[in-house]
Amino acid sequence: MKGFKGYGILIFLLFWSAGAGAQVVLEGKVSSSEGEPLELAHVVAYKNGARKVAGFATTSKKGNYSLKLNEYGVYDVRYSFMGCKARMLTLRLEAGTKIFRKDVVLQVDEKMLSEVELVYNVPIKQSGDTTSYKAESFSSGKEKKLEDVLNNLPGVEVNDEGQVEVEGVQVQKVLVEGKNFFSGDSKLAAKNIPSNVVEEVQVIKNFTEVAMMKGLESTEDDIALNIKLKEGKKEFWFGETEAGGGVKEKSALYLVNPKLFYYSPDFNVSFIGSLTNTGRPPFTPRDFRALMGGSQKLNMKSGTSISGATNTLGLSSMRNNRAKQLDSEFGALNLSYSPSSSVDWSGFLIFSASDMLTEEYSLREYIKSGAREDNRQTVNQQSNLYVLKTEMNYHPDSDTQLDYELFVKYSDFSETLANQSAVNGQTAREIGENKEERPLSVLQNLTYYKTLAPAHILSVSGQYSYENENPYYSIETPDEVFPGLLPVDYTQDQARVVQDKTVKSHKLDTKADYFWKFDQLSNINLTLGNLYSRQQFSSSLFQTLADGKEETFGDEFSNDVSYTFSDLFLSARYRRQIGKVTLTPGLSVHQFYLADRQESTASSTEYGLLPSLNILTKFKSSVLLELDY
């Protein structure tokens, strides 16, 4: 059971957000001069005196529309329909108004109907789950990057962390002409794609990369952007280089940011680089985690998930906001290639390096004794990060798809700390610490999808992950460390104590899913799967003597442990959508196996029959309430 954790807060936030959302609703009916309701008429609201679209709606079969606006004031509202004369009305929405109703009649334009060719561009189009925005309709001419275009679109914004959000929900993937851009990372796309190549921005809700899986699982929170390029910009090179230099406190500063892009229908390549010592790293741990998007996470539906990793980044201690000096290098290469209509390949390679120095100085005076303590701490951190990701998609026909993914991460991190302390002007005593990490992580996914019949779909998935972590820590001090606990030889001028650890993790997830789709609102899902995980842990404590020899502290200060876990399960789930509520009850039977080996081996096998229930309520596009049991 995942539990009801945080639901009190969630419900509070839900009702708060419902009250703090759109302040006024503009609604009404659009009819022709002959009294017929007009379906798919466009209603576009502009803030009075501004070019930016504040809201957009299309009419229903009965000609009704509903448009949510986030603030009161005067709006210019344009009503249009193919074959009718457009009308622009100026409406004043007074404070305190909850609903403002305006019915509009559009006159038939005989001249337009008689034209042989009609060109009519609307700034926003709605087609199913896809909303398309014409970039030039939201442009002020000052935009430089994609993020400037996105911030002009209604309901779309780039947050302070650089990630793109649509109505408060973070975008999962960014595509350029339907192709992955750096594995779909929205920050890299928003910060680097030039605005002058963007023709259209498509917001795709309920996004899934496998068309045949559409509607089989809940994807309400999955949003993607597809960037359509202008004609003449679909096979070309473009790029830019930013460079700068200066002097601060007699130190030379430099910044070089080259960017190069090439797009064609079948082959794309992008390169982004950075070289700087201005104190701002171009690639952060948050950016790294964003690039992990798209990696499949299997067996979550079974109720079992397990993670053996502790730290695969080697960047957790970076404190650039307090750095005295920070030199950074960054390079990212992205490629995508479609050798045929049935094969798509994409991948990227990222390298990030940083060398940071921090210094802290403190002075303490003790009132009672009059003692004075001077303390100086110097920390030097060096980090190299390498990321490789490649994806292959094979879809020979609309009923078959095979996906493969490889994700490799490696980092080399070291930190050296020197702490000098002097009391009343005496000779300073120095304590030194050293940390090293070289974690390696390899993840592979293989998934096969097959439509057996129009209402019957089979999915077979396998995921293998390997992680190797070897954190190393040493401390060198003239003082006793852990007195009475560790058998340290203090006859040395400086006692150097070392802890060496190794953690190796293997995990294999396999799963076969069968879906029986009754209609667009309901289906049954049967799953047979197994999760196998094995982790090996070893550690030791020892002392390094002045002559370089290592003096171990004995078996009581060492560990050698292996841990094995397995979950073989069969589950059934029924999914049904009723209005705004989607219910997914389920039942699964499990065989759990557990083995722990240290000095001896202990194992056990347990069986379980576990119910599950997921209730998803969609109040509006940006407000969801999910209960997961």
Side-chain angles (χ1 to χ4, degrees):
M1 174 179 175
K2 297 177 182 177
F4 292 83
K5 51 186 178 182
Y7 281 107
I9 297 176
L10 180 59
I11 292 173
F12 169 78
L13 292 175
L14 168 69
F15 286 102
W16 178 86
S17 63
Q23 293 181 325
V24 60
V25 176
L26 174 62
E27 63 178 34
K29 183 176 182 178
V30 180
S31 307
S32 69
S33 54
E34 298 174 351
E36 295 294 329
L38 297 178
E39 181 185 1
L40 298 179
H42 291 87
V43 183
V44 184
Y46 302 86
K47 197 75 168 93
N48 187 251
R51 295 182 60 184
K52 183 176 179 180
V53 175
F56 169 80
T58 56
T59 56
S60 65
K61 290 183 179 181
K62 297 183 179 180
N64 295 318
Y65 70 92
S66 180
L67 184 62
K68 298 175 182 178
L69 301 171
N70 291 327
E71 56 182 313
Y72 302 107
V74 179
Y75 289 87
D76 295 323
V77 185
R78 187 178 190 271
Y79 298 84
S80 60
F81 183 76
M82 191 74 72
C84 294
K85 295 180 180 179
R87 291 187 63 184
M88 181 73 82
L89 302 178
T90 300
L91 305 178
R92 181 179 295 276
L93 308 183
E94 301 288 353
T97 304
K98 295 296 183 181
I99 298 177
F100 187 97
R101 184 170 182 85
K102 183 64 178 179
D103 296 333
V104 175
V105 175
L106 298 182
Q107 298 293 328
V108 175
D109 192 337
E110 299 293 342
K111 182 179 179 180
M112 290 180 64
L113 294 177
S114 64
E115 291 288 342
V116 176
E117 180 179 356
L118 176 64
V119 178
Y120 179 61
N121 292 320
V122 293
I124 306 176
K125 295 179 182 179
Q126 184 74 43
S127 178
D129 291 325
T130 301
T131 304
S132 302
Y133 300 89
K134 288 286 186 183
E136 63 180 14
S137 300
F138 302 91
S139 173
S140 63
K142 299 179 180 179
E143 295 79 12
K144 294 183 179 180
K145 300 296 181 184
L146 175 62
E147 67 174 332
D148 301 320
V149 177
L150 297 177
N151 280 324
N152 290 337
L153 305 182
V156 182
E157 68 174 349
V158 180
N159 61 28
D160 294 339
E161 297 168 356
Q163 300 297 329
V164 182
E165 295 181 351
V166 175
E167 296 176 349
V169 180
Q170 185 167 314
V171 168
Q172 305 294 317
K173 188 174 285 287
V174 174
L175 310 172
V176 177
E177 292 289 340
K179 309 290 185 181
N180 277 338
F181 184 86
F182 280 100
S183 192
D185 180 59
S186 64
K187 179 176 179 178
L188 286 176
K191 296 288 186 182
N192 294 287
I193 295 178
S195 62
N196 61 359
V197 304
V198 179
E199 172 72 18
E200 188 174 274
V201 177
Q202 295 179 335
V203 177
I204 308 170
K205 296 185 178 180
N206 296 316
F207 174 75
T208 176
E209 296 188 73
V210 184
M212 67 185 80
M213 299 295 290
K214 185 82 170 180
L216 295 178
E217 299 179 308
S218 297
T219 56
E220 282 79 1
D221 269 346
D222 295 339
I223 299 177
L225 294 185
N226 183 37
I227 309 303
K228 304 287 287 184
L229 302 177
K230 293 179 179 179
E231 289 297 328
K233 300 291 187 181
K234 296 185 178 181
E235 189 171 351
F236 70 110
W237 289 93
F238 66 92
E240 64 180 23
T241 298
E242 178 186 19
V247 177
K248 181 180 180 181
E249 297 178 357
K250 298 182 180 181
S251 298
L253 299 177
Y254 58 86
L255 171 69
V256 181
N257 291 331
K259 299 171 185 178
L260 184 65
F261 304 86
Y262 172 75
Y263 284 102
S264 70
D266 299 326
F267 178 70
N268 301 329
V269 59
S270 309
F271 174 77
I272 302 171
S274 178
L275 184 65
T276 180
N277 67 345
T278 58
R280 183 178 181 182
F283 197 67
T284 66
R286 184 181 296 275
D287 298 332
F288 177 84
R289 286 188 288 269
L291 284 173
M292 295 178 67
S295 297
Q296 303 174 32
K297 297 177 176 60
L298 304 183
N299 285 342
M300 295 301 290
K301 291 186 297 184
S302 74
T304 299
S305 62
I306 186 169
S307 175
T310 55
N311 176 30
T312 57
L313 291 178
L315 297 172
S316 58
S317 302
M318 300 301 286
R319 297 174 293 177
N320 56 290
N321 60 322
R322 295 190 297 166
K324 178 181 180 181
Q325 179 180 343
L326 176 59
D327 298 334
S328 300
E329 300 175 15
F330 174 78
L333 177 67
N334 178 75
L335 297 169
S336 66
Y337 177 54
S338 299
S340 68
S341 60
S342 60
V343 177
D344 293 315
W345 175 86
S346 64
F348 65 79
L349 177 65
I350 289 179
F351 167 73
S352 178
S354 61
D355 187 352
M356 183 179 66
L357 176 66
T358 62
E359 288 186 357
E360 295 182 6
Y361 176 76
S362 62
L363 173 63
R364 296 186 181 93
E365 292 189 5
Y366 299 91
I367 298 176
K368 186 174 182 179
S369 64
R372 174 191 174 105
E373 180 184 9
D374 295 275
N375 188 77
R376 182 183 299 275
Q377 179 176 281
T378 303
V379 180
N380 181 242
Q381 292 181 338
Q382 295 179 326
S383 176
N384 295 322
L385 173 66
Y386 307 85
V387 182
L388 169 67
K389 186 174 183 180
T390 181
E391 299 175 78
M392 189 276 293
N393 171 260
Y394 174 61
H395 43 93
D397 52 60
S398 60
D399 295 332
T400 308
Q401 183 166 323
L402 179 67
D403 295 336
Y404 172 75
E405 177 187 66
L406 171 66
F407 199 179
V408 181
K409 302 170 291 181
Y410 175 75
S411 62
D412 184 353
F413 171 78
S414 65
E415 177 182 280
T416 302
L417 180 148
N419 195 319
Q420 295 180 332
S421 179
V423 178
N424 293 332
Q426 297 178 359
T427 302
R429 301 175 65 83
E430 181 171 319
I431 298 176
E433 295 182 51
N434 183 52
K435 300 177 184 178
E436 296 180 8
E437 291 182 75
R438 294 179 180 85
L440 170 67
S441 173
V442 179
L443 173 68
Q444 295 185 82
N445 285 308
L446 183 65
T447 308
Y448 174 74
Y449 304 93
K450 182 65 177 180
T451 300
L452 306 175
H456 303 273
I457 297 173
L458 176 68
S459 168
V460 181
S461 308
Q463 182 186 88
Y464 171 72
S465 64
Y466 168 75
E467 294 180 351
N468 187 352
E469 305 174 45
N470 54 347
Y472 175 93
Y473 172 79
S474 67
I475 181 171
E476 189 170 351
T477 174
D479 303 319
E480 291 191 14
V481 290
F482 310 113
L485 296 178
L486 296 179
V488 180
D489 181 3
Y490 292 106
T491 61
Q492 311 283 316
D493 292 336
Q494 291 279 112
R496 187 169 187 265
V497 180
V498 179
Q499 181 187 49
D500 194 7
K501 295 194 298 183
T502 300
V503 183
K504 294 183 178 181
S505 303
H506 302 264
K507 186 170 68 170
L508 177 65
D509 289 3
T510 54
K511 180 166 68 77
D513 277 299
Y514 166 71
F515 294 91
W516 183 2
K517 189 175 182 180
F518 300 126
D519 50 44
Q520 295 294 329
L521 302 178
S522 62
N523 66 75
I524 283 180
N525 171 212
L526 301 178
T527 304
L528 175 64
N530 181 64
L531 181 150
Y532 175 84
S533 175
R534 178 177 175 83
Q535 188 174 62
Q536 296 170 287
F537 173 83
S538 64
S539 68
S540 61
L541 282 171
F542 56 90
Q543 180 178 4
T544 301
L545 303 179
D547 57 5
K549 293 183 179 180
E550 294 181 357
E551 186 74 26
T552 62
F553 293 155
D555 293 340
E556 63 269 29
F557 296 99
S558 299
N559 278 300
D560 186 6
V561 182
S562 69
Y563 178 81
T564 302
F565 173 80
S566 173
D567 174 19
L568 177 64
F569 66 93
L570 175 65
S571 67
R573 299 190 310 156
Y574 174 69
R575 183 175 180 270
R576 175 68 180 177
Q577 183 177 342
I578 306 172
K580 296 182 178 180
V581 180
T582 301
L583 299 173
T584 309
L587 187 66
S588 60
V589 57
H590 296 254
Q591 181 196 62
F592 300 105
Y593 172 76
L594 204 64
D596 182 12
R597 182 192 64 79
Q598 194 165 5
E599 294 181 353
S600 61
T601 299
S603 64
S604 64
T605 302
E606 302 288 341
Y607 296 88
L609 184 64
L610 305 177
S612 64
L613 177 63
N614 180 275
I615 303 176
L616 181 66
T617 305
K618 187 174 182 179
F619 292 91
K620 54 183 181 179
S621 58
S622 60
V623 180
L624 299 173
L625 176 62
E626 184 173 6
L627 172 67
D628 204 1
Y629 170 82

